[in-house]
Amino acid sequence: MTKSILFAGVGGQGIVLASNLLAAALIESGFDVKMSEVHGMAQRGGSVTTQVRFGEKVHSPIIGKGNADVIVAFEPMEAIRWLNHLKPGGTLILSTARIPSSVILSGAMDYPEGIVEYLNEHADLISLNAQKMATDLGNEKAMNVILLGVLAKILELSDVDWLALIKKEVHPRFYELNAKAFRTGYSFK
Amino acid sequence: MKQLWTGNEAVARALYEAGVSFASAYPGTPSTEILENLTLYHEDMHVEWAPNEKVALEAAIGASMAGVRSAAAMKHVGLNVAADPLMTLSYTGVNGGLLIISADDPELHSSQNEQDNRIYAKLAKIPCVEITGAADAAEAIKESYYISETYDTPVLFRMTTRVCHSKELVESGEKTNFAPIPYVKNAFKYVSSPANSRKKRPMVEERMAKLSAYSEQSPLNTVEDNGASVGVIASGVSAHYAREVFEEGANYLILRCTYPLPIEKIRAFYESVETCYVIEELEPFIEEQLRLAGMQVIGKERIPVMGELNVDIVREALLGIKPVYQEAPAELVAPRPPILCSGCPHRGFFYEAKKFRDLIVTGDIGCYTLGAAPPLEVTDSLVCMGASISMGHGVYAAMKKNGIEKKVMAVIGDSTFLHSGMTSLLNSVYNNSPTVNVILDNRITAMTGHQDNPGTGYDLMGNPAPEIDFEQIVRALGVKKVRTVNPLNLADVRAAIKECLEFKEGPSVIISRWPCALKRYSERDLNEFPLEKSKSVVIEEQCRGCLNCVRTGCPSIRFDKEKKKASIDSYSCVGCGVCIQSCPFDAIVREGGNK
């Protein structure tokens, strides 16, 4: 059975690193893995996703509507934008810190209210302010690895040495920070 | 060991394994990372950026003539630029094998149009090879070089965005050494004079016949027989979508040599099933050929000719099964379009340009395309690489003929100017139109992910290279009025625009020179630009809520509608200072009172 994980966020939030780490863990667990990313202009502050699929044999590299077992949303509006990809009964991991888009920054539109409440009613929601938690750890940028920690806990990939993977993937200077971030996410209740 | 690689990474590795020793490209999403990854193998091959795709292909043709295996990579629209050499290359053929790698962009993720470049293979009468994903790359590339050398033809190697940017597990292999084929002077082969080409024209047809026979036997076209009554013929990433929809419930004919098609092999497959679907992205390229051969396949009558396919689209089109999903209320989400980054040097230029009324601004391809988007909304047009300057001339000349003296400005990036803006500017000089032509020189090819170009002073390998001088180039082209400005200095920008709009003796050029805010600064950048800046902050008591700073479109600036005050996100602000200059009430200053 193929499982699908969709990461949704805003350009610059580090979703590619999070999905690379996940993919490495899945390969280590012996799965066939495919992954899809978006490059180019879409990255300039726009809405971005990466998609990871794994199982015994994976065909399509992209996830269809209603097909993601887990969505990891780095931002509330992005959770709403991609909610149509969540499988009925699927899990949504959400970082609640808002990133207003240009139309909101300029005052042309308001940031929508009631997103977290809506998601709580319409998905199996795990919400946390990963941005704030990462800032408390010393660097806002580590939010991606906090969210990965939350995801890792759900996926129960018991044989994976996550910290070793992080060590391989990130600059030595940031290892301690990211190891702390991972543990923070993994132990989040 | 298996690696999780994008199609681009796998193709780069495959080119190395095939013994390729020359590769050139101009960056373009989704193809860019092919050459970037080839730098890993630089000890075994010569890799370089070319100023445009035509040059890249011509250099690869030269390398092929010199007897080595070569490749040129480009995005789909790049092949439009390189189409001229391609059409005649078909006649000359190759010495060492030659691949033209075309990365098409169905769904226009990062392109100005959608086009199916397999049609170029038909037009040029050369073979087309496609892959379903990264895992196919090694074998398909090796086979493509075999085709190229055996049949004396260039090969069009076609990828798409999902093939380029999706990762699959790939087993890397060993490098085969390719001994260069000695070059022997052969004017009949390499000199495409009318007399020679007329004689070679029938040879191209003969080659097509031989290639058709090859395609029938090619290991690239594979059948998977599941004993089903439904048959699926698919190419590219669509083969994966088909497998997910039908699983073991269909027989599959996966085509990787999609031109010329193995018609008899396909006919045997077609006759072995009751229902036969053709699943391909974009044009009915395979389907039309099968219909011509009398096969009643089901394809584009149900599957869209526009956009990308996916599992949902294929399943609904062919089986009538809709996906089950929930849609959140539209009022819970606002658009999040791409925007110029915090500290982008283009912002200051557009912010000032917007103040000039009654100006037509023709645009070009690059991050600065976003100068057309709110709140800047300066740019009037976008067609293709280099079109800003030539279109600007056309606008001016046409209006003038109708008695209207219109102010026209063209905006083009540094890399785009070098790609195909120089001949356009020469045209404006030659035909004497007083347009204002702005080279937005952010010291890098930014939108595709920061590639060097002849203006940056570094080559693809990151080695120092001759740095061309934009001012010297435009003067050599005959431009009499040239101003270089720092786009972070709004008064200077404004003065330059005003001065150039008043200049009537031919075209003028403004070079707006400041490095991209996301760029990893080179030694040269650090020497040239004072890049260390303290961040900007709003003094709340002095802010009167006039919104001028908001109109710069900077993503670091937020406006509180209740308090009617602007604020600046100190995390993302890079201290470019454009907002400071936009504020008429001196309410924005540098942190710590620095200048």
Side-chain angles (χ1 to χ4, degrees):
Chain A
M1 191 63 191
T2 300
K3 287 209 166 199
S4 303
I5 316 288
L6 189 144
F7 293 81
V10 179
Q13 279 192 303
I15 70 173
V16 172
L17 174 66
S19 41
N20 280 343
L21 286 166
L22 171 64
L26 294 166
I27 294 167
E28 199 172 301
S29 305
F31 290 109
D32 183 21
V33 179
K34 287 193 184 177
M35 184 174 148
S36 209
E37 318 173 346
V38 173
H39 294 229
M41 183 180 250
Q43 287 175 306
R44 297 286 175 261
S47 160
V48 293
T49 68
T50 59
Q51 314 190 1
V52 178
R53 306 193 73 212
F54 64 100
E56 201 181 318
K57 173 80 193 144
V58 181
H59 295 299
S60 167
I62 50 174
I63 303 169
K65 285 183 178 167
N67 223 320
D69 295 274
V70 183
I71 292 181
V72 185
F74 283 49
E75 202 279 338
M77 278 208 305
E78 298 313 309
I80 291 288
R81 203 183 310 280
W82 291 93
L83 186 65
N84 58 13
H85 279 64
L86 189 66
K87 197 175 263 183
T91 302
L92 178 71
I93 300 169
L94 171 70
S95 178
T96 52
R98 297 170 170 191
I99 301 180
S101 64
S102 54
V103 292
I104 295 164
L105 291 172
S106 69
M109 287 175 86
D110 292 317
Y111 195 100
E113 293 298 331
I115 290 182
V116 178
E117 294 77 3
Y118 182 88
L119 292 172
N120 209 8
E121 280 168 33
H122 292 83
D124 172 17
L125 181 70
I126 302 172
S127 68
L128 62 161
N129 189 336
Q131 215 160 346
K132 183 172 179 307
M133 291 160 77
T135 308
D136 292 345
L137 292 178
N139 191 333
E140 181 181 8
K141 292 222 159 182
M143 71 171 287
N144 57 349
V145 177
I146 294 181
L147 291 170
L148 179 71
V150 180
L151 175 69
K153 177 84 179 184
I154 301 180
L155 291 179
E156 297 175 348
L157 302 170
S158 47
D159 299 337
V160 174
D161 184 350
W162 287 93
L163 294 181
L165 291 175
I166 290 171
K167 197 162 219 165
K168 235 186 339 188
E169 200 75 23
V170 306
H171 193 279
R173 212 155 21 110
F174 298 114
Y175 170 72
E176 275 311 317
L177 169 73
N178 281 295
K180 262 194 282 176
F182 184 83
R183 286 192 211 105
T184 305
Y186 199 85
S187 56
F188 179 78
K189 298 228 167 42
Chain B
M1 192 191 127
K2 286 201 168 185
Q3 318 254 13
L4 191 64
W5 270 342
T6 61
N8 286 345
E9 288 170 297
V11 161
R13 173 75 197 185
L15 291 168
Y16 161 76
E17 288 175 10
V20 167
S21 54
F22 182 94
S24 182
Y26 180 78
T29 313
S31 71
T32 311
E33 303 84 8
I34 296 172
L35 264 271
E36 288 180 327
N37 280 288
L38 277 180
T39 59
L40 295 171
Y41 314 110
H42 66 93
E43 281 172 11
D44 295 83
M45 67 174 85
H46 178 94
V47 285
E48 63 183 28
W49 291 129
N52 70 33
E53 296 85 353
K54 176 179 184 287
V55 173
L57 177 53
E58 289 158 351
I61 296 172
S64 161
M65 189 168 99
V68 305
R69 287 190 163 175
S70 67
M74 55 202 72
K75 69 181 292 174
H76 62 298
V77 286
L79 192 50
N80 300 336
V81 178
D84 193 5
L86 176 68
M87 291 300 141
T88 305
L89 171 62
S90 171
Y91 286 39
T92 66
V94 302
N95 191 25
L98 171 51
L99 262 55
I100 298 112
I101 302 170
S102 165
D104 296 4
D105 189 20
E107 200 74 36
L108 302 94
H109 291 281
S110 211
S111 305
Q112 66 269 40
N113 74 357
E114 197 175 60
Q115 65 184 46
D116 189 332
N117 275 7
R118 295 177 299 178
I119 294 171
Y120 270 116
K122 195 174 172 189
L123 185 62
K125 295 178 182 280
I126 61 170
C128 178
V129 173
E130 295 184 69
I131 52 174
T132 65
D136 282 354
E139 200 201 325
I141 291 275
K142 206 162 47 166
E143 187 68 12
S144 297
Y145 280 104
Y146 164 80
I147 299 171
S148 177
E149 284 149 11
T150 307
Y151 298 94
D152 193 7
T153 178
V155 174
L156 181 67
F157 191 89
R158 189 237 193 184
M159 303 169 76
T160 57
T161 301
R162 292 297 172 186
V163 170
C164 292
H165 288 163
S166 294
K167 294 185 177 182
E168 296 183 343
L169 288 170
V170 180
E171 188 93 57
S172 57
E174 292 299 309
K175 177 182 188 250
T176 14
N177 282 315
F178 179 79
I181 303 166
Y183 167 70
V184 179
K185 196 175 171 90
N186 182 347
F188 175 66
K189 179 173 170 62
Y190 294 116
V191 179
S192 299
S193 63
N196 287 342
S197 289
R198 213 175 289 123
K199 284 186 201 134
K200 279 188 286 188
R201 179 69 187 84
M203 293 166 67
V204 171
E205 296 304 318
E206 284 160 27
R207 185 179 70 200
M208 279 315 299
K210 286 182 197 154
L211 283 165
S212 294
Y214 159 80
S215 189
E216 297 288 349
Q217 305 300 327
S218 174
L220 294 172
N221 301 321
T222 54
V223 173
E224 183 186 319
D225 189 347
N226 292 316
S229 62
V230 171
V232 171
I233 298 167
S235 76
V237 69
S238 308
H240 289 319
Y241 304 148
R243 278 220 171 87
E244 191 150 326
V245 170
F246 292 98
E247 298 177 336
E248 310 284 292
N251 298 348
Y252 299 94
L253 172 51
I254 308 302
L255 296 172
R256 294 181 187 81
C257 179
T258 48
Y259 196 75
L261 286 174
I263 290 289
E264 294 316 313
K265 184 173 189 156
I266 296 171
R267 195 186 304 282
F269 179 83
Y270 169 77
E271 283 168 0
S272 74
V273 292
E274 285 164 31
T275 310
C276 190
Y277 299 117
V278 176
I279 307 175
E280 58 187 323
E281 258 171 350
L282 301 183
E283 298 302 314
F285 181 75
I286 298 170
E287 182 184 344
E288 280 179 353
Q289 296 178 67
L290 302 191
R291 287 185 178 278
L292 264 178
M295 293 177 235
Q296 298 307 310
V297 292
I298 299 166
K300 293 295 173 184
E301 65 201 79
R302 300 213 203 146
I303 295 170
V305 291
M306 291 183 284
E308 282 188 309
L309 300 182
N310 58 38
V311 171
D312 290 342
I313 292 171
V314 173
R315 188 181 282 129
E316 189 172 347
L318 300 183
L319 302 179
I321 301 168
K322 287 181 196 290
V324 181
Y325 62 91
Q326 56 173 323
E327 199 74 69
E331 62 269 22
L332 286 185
V333 62
R336 192 185 298 280
I339 39 172
L340 295 176
C341 307
S342 292
C344 174
H346 303 328
R347 172 169 294 106
F349 187 86
F350 284 118
Y351 182 74
E352 282 306 312
K354 187 170 182 160
K355 294 179 182 166
F356 289 83
R357 304 282 166 203
D358 200 29
L359 189 64
I360 288 189
V361 180
T362 50
D364 225 299
I365 308 271
C367 292
Y368 50 90
T369 296
L370 296 169
L376 296 163
E377 295 174 302
V378 169
T379 311
D380 287 276
S381 70
L382 169 67
V383 176
C384 64
M385 297 286 284
S388 57
I389 296 175
S390 12
M391 279 180 67
H393 162 72
V395 168
Y396 176 81
M399 288 204 171
K400 186 167 192 217
K401 193 76 189 161
N402 283 330
I404 305 162
E405 185 73 26
K406 190 74 188 176
K407 290 177 190 157
V408 181
M409 179 187 279
V411 289
I412 186 166
D414 48 341
S415 191
T416 309
F417 177 72
L418 298 173
H419 177 286
S420 48
M422 293 187 286
T423 44
S424 301
L425 187 58
L426 181 65
N427 180 55
S428 302
V429 170
Y430 180 52
N431 290 304
N432 195 31
S433 63
T435 49
V436 179
N437 302 278
V438 185
I439 301 173
L440 295 167
D441 177 13
N442 62 355
R443 313 302 301 127
I444 199 76
T445 311
M447 192 171 71
T448 43
H450 298 106
Q451 288 74 34
D452 280 292
N453 65 52
T456 65
Y458 295 88
D459 66 12
L460 169 59
M461 296 305 309
N463 296 322
E467 179 185 331
I468 69 93
D469 182 326
F470 286 96
E471 200 166 318
Q472 273 187 19
I473 286 189
V474 301
R475 287 198 192 278
L477 289 169
V479 176
K480 296 281 184 291
K481 175 121 197 122
V482 186
R483 277 284 310 262
T484 297
V485 299
N486 170 0
L488 306 188
N489 180 339
L490 300 188
D492 196 18
V493 170
R494 188 166 175 79
I497 297 175
K498 193 161 173 286
E499 208 178 302
C500 287
L501 282 171
E502 282 162 7
F503 184 76
K504 294 294 167 200
E505 296 143 54
S508 53
V509 168
I510 299 172
I511 300 166
S512 162
R513 188 173 166 105
W514 193 268
C516 168
L518 300 184
K519 185 182 175 185
R520 195 159 53 86
Y521 299 124
S522 68
E523 220 176 289
R524 290 182 197 216
D525 294 329
L526 294 168
N527 288 335
E528 180 179 346
F529 303 99
L531 292 160
E532 285 299 319
K533 292 187 181 293
S534 22
K535 296 167 185 287
S536 307
V537 285
V538 177
I539 305 167
E540 203 177 289
E541 313 74 82
Q542 262 166 261
C543 174
R544 304 214 196 153
C546 74
L547 291 171
N548 266 12
C549 59
V550 171
R551 290 191 193 103
T552 65
C554 176
S556 296
I557 299 176
R558 303 178 179 207
F559 189 72
D560 186 325
K561 284 203 283 192
E562 310 294 307
K563 291 200 276 184
K564 295 205 169 13
K565 303 278 182 190
S567 64
I568 294 167
D569 173 40
S570 70
Y571 182 73
S572 59
C573 173
V574 302
C576 75
V578 166
C579 57
I580 297 177
Q581 298 163 73
S582 77
C583 181
F585 305 107
D586 297 329
I588 310 179
V589 294
R590 291 204 184 273
E591 231 169 32
N594 296 329
K595 287 250 164 157

